[in-house]
Amino acid sequence: MRVVSGSAKGRPLKAVPGTGTRPTTDKVKEALFSMIGPYFDGGVALDLFAGSGGLGIEALSRGMDKAVFIDMESKSIDVIKENLRKTGLEGQAEVFRNDAGRALKVLAKRGALFDAVFLDPPYRLKHGDELMSRMAELNLLRSDAIIVLEYESGHEYPESFGPFEQVRKAVYGETALSIYHFAADVLSDVVEHTEAGGGKFGISESDGEDHHD
């Protein structure tokens, strides 16, 4: 693995030891950033289920101001920190060891706002859309934020739900990428509608079973 483009182009990235992780290949990473960038004029990224940190680091290399990396595995946290040092990007990053659901609550309490989210849960967990809805409910997304959802190609996520609209989808073997656009005005309409009907927008948060893949 390496940084594909930007200020840290060509820098090698360490993989998380063992077979429990599924790093995004350089080919898929390059295609992904071609779809959403390929470069950025600032902004803040969230790399959830970060693993080696490759996606968040790529975003920083391509112009994001800051990235927050979340993973619940201590060995992943160590690798992310090492990769940030190797690329010289540690000054633009925050790294936290936490479960995804709890991490979102902590970030919301801090008033965090993200322009881009990289969401790569383990393939056995099919709750990427639930996590996205939770981010919207917690006001963690800037208007027009982009969410990149990586998942097993045999699984299907809805093209649109709540304030999210799928704008691109690509399949690379067993890996699928869906790019979603977040529309804050749609969120407001949904909240008003559900409140009028006595309902509640969003879903119940994960209770700690999230694991890095």
Side-chain angles (χ1 to χ4, degrees), residues 57-132:
I57 287 172
E58 189 75 31
L60 289 174
S61 180
R62 291 172 183 256
M64 283 277 177
D65 293 320
K66 180 182 175 182
V68 177
F69 299 82
I70 306 290
D71 203 286
M72 68 175 296
E73 300 292 342
S74 58
K75 61 183 180 180
S76 293
I77 296 301
D78 291 340
V79 169
I80 293 167
K81 291 179 178 179
E82 182 176 343
N83 284 335
L84 286 165
R85 286 194 295 270
K86 285 182 177 179
T87 53
L89 296 169
E90 65 267 40
Q92 296 171 250
E94 290 186 282
V95 184
F96 299 105
R97 181 177 179 230
N98 209 336
D99 163 77
R102 295 189 188 97
L104 294 180
K105 290 179 65 176
V106 172
L107 290 168
K109 288 179 181 179
R110 294 175 52 189
L113 279 173
F114 298 102
D115 301 279
V117 177
F118 301 101
L119 187 56
D120 184 13
Y123 280 178
R124 64 181 178 78
L125 298 178
K126 315 295 187 185
H127 68 334
D129 49 351
E130 296 178 3
L131 288 170
M132 289 166 59

